[in-house]
Amino acid sequence: MPTMMEKLFAKADLADIAVKVASGERLSREDGLRLYRCPDLLLLGYLANIVRERKNADKAFFIYNQHLNYSNICTNLCKFCAFGKERESDQAYEMSIPQIREKIRARLAEPISEIHVVGGIHPDLPYSYYLEMLRAIKEERPGVHIQAFTGVEIAHLAELSGQSVKECLQELQAAGLDSIPGGGAEVFSPRIRQLTCEKKLSGEGWLEVARTAHGLGLRSNATMLYGHIETLEERVDHLLMLRQTQDETGGFLTFIPLAFHPRNTELSTTNPGLSRTSGVEDLRNIAVARLLLDNFDHIKAYWVMIGPKLAQVALSFGADDLDGTIKEELITKMAGGEAEQAMADSELIRLIKEAGRLPVERDTLYEKLTPRA
Ligand code: V47
């Protein structure tokens, strides 16, 4: 006699996918589309949670980190981004190396294990600035892990320095770079890139930087910016390209779905119907990513973009990581993000415990850190 769950999956036409998930079989492109189209969020969550618990049991990770957005001056001016500004804009800024040192020094009393560094594609900061920045951060905070420069920034720095991506990454590594954040991936579809960020490095270019970094032993993250003008097919194809690359290199640490924030973006002016993503959409993207990305160990619910309350719920829909303490992150804020930018580690721990999970403070590479008294 079919069990209650079997009946529910049959009713939602997901019976075959449920069997695949139970046996750990890889899902197809068609399966991914069916999952995205499934109206029953709880069934999606149920399936994603099976994978989440198989990979990470009850653990929910967080990190004590500091974000540093060194400059918002950007030549790409992507239509979904409210952070990037032209040099002439009265909102444009760039931090000098002494200012960066000051930002790091100001938080030396906190047990920060990672500095997350991202900025725009600056038209004229010299290559030496980036090397100096890395060295300065390590001088101010020896031993800290620097996760810096998206694949797009790395490709720009390689060009600026007249080196190959590999040579440039090696030089950045020698100056203090420890891993690469997941930004700049957006949606790999050439159609979406043409419509939203035509000046940006291509999707294939972004993946090539990741492959090169992984070949050097540098780990990196991956993201997808969803909830704007992309189709479900484009989302699934993006996830499958990441899965394919992970099969080749095994170098991705975590996947982070990024919820589009329309305020102050050009995309929202040309598409007035665009609104903030809904909670259902956010959870659905986390669940489908967990199910399709079978070779990724971790899925992050980025609380700055989806809010701490939904990020907490996401721990039952496939996510096993809440990112960290952050404090100041301007990319979401400029686009209308309303979540407080700082979260105490005690608050992250409370959210995780209330979700019935086991809080684990991690370093960037997901090594467990000893709990503090
Ligand atoms: O690449 C830009 C996205 C990214 C908007 O690696 C926007 O752990 C929403 O990648 N609405 C940068 N998103 C941030 C990023 C990130 C964040 C947290 C953790 C990690 C990680 C990476 O932010 C950009 C772009 O995809 N973005 N504008 C916007 N209006």
Side-chain angles (χ1 to χ4, degrees), residues 232-249:
L232 297 185
E233 286 79 3
E234 285 163 336
R235 283 188 201 168
V236 170
D237 288 340
H238 181 96
L239 295 173
L240 295 188
M241 285 167 88
L242 288 174
R243 187 171 80 180
Q244 164 73 33
T245 309
Q246 181 76 327
D247 275 346
E248 293 163 28
T249 70

Side-chain angles (χ1 to χ4, degrees), residues 181-320:
E186 322 311 353
V187 181
F188 295 139
S189 148
R191 182 188 81 91
I192 291 293
R193 283 184 122 73
Q194 171 69 31
L195 288 171
T196 65
C197 54
E198 59 179 342
K199 293 197 198 143
K200 195 167 222 160
L201 180 69
S202 68
E204 203 30 71
W206 187 95
L207 287 165
E208 195 46 41
V209 173
R211 278 189 207 101
T212 310
H214 299 170
L216 293 170
L218 274 171
R219 308 295 299 273
S220 73
N221 294 341
T223 57
M224 175 175 74
L225 179 66
Y226 67 91
H228 43 98
I229 56 169
E230 82 289 359
T231 63
L232 297 185
E233 286 79 3
E234 285 163 336
R235 283 188 201 168
V236 170
D237 288 340
H238 181 96
L239 295 173
L240 295 188
M241 285 167 88
L242 288 174
R243 187 171 80 180
Q244 164 73 33
T245 309
Q246 181 76 327
D247 275 346
E248 293 163 28
T249 70
F252 289 118
L253 283 166
T254 183
F255 174 74
I256 312 117
L258 298 176
F260 175 56
H261 283 56
R263 201 179 301 160
N264 304 326
T265 66
E266 192 178 334
L267 206 53
S268 67
T269 319
T270 45
N271 299 267
L274 282 180
S275 56
R276 285 276 295 270
T277 58
S278 67
V280 168
E281 256 315 88
D282 293 336
L283 292 177
R284 186 191 304 284
N285 274 282
I286 284 175
V288 176
R290 181 59 290 168
L291 289 163
L292 281 185
L293 296 177
D294 54 15
N295 51 7
F296 275 64
D297 288 341
H298 303 287
I299 304 288
K300 190 187 281 188
Y302 187 44
W303 63 264
V304 177
M305 285 195 188
I306 62 173
K309 290 185 180 185
L310 196 68
Q312 181 189 37
V313 176
L315 295 176
S316 302
F317 282 77
D320 61 280

Side-chain angles (χ1 to χ4, degrees), residues 11-31:
K11 192 166 161 232
D13 196 23
L14 291 181
D16 54 332
I17 296 183
V19 170
K20 282 190 186 177
V21 171
S23 64
E25 196 182 319
R26 178 159 274 195
L27 300 183
S28 67
R29 181 176 191 269
E30 189 52 37
D31 294 335

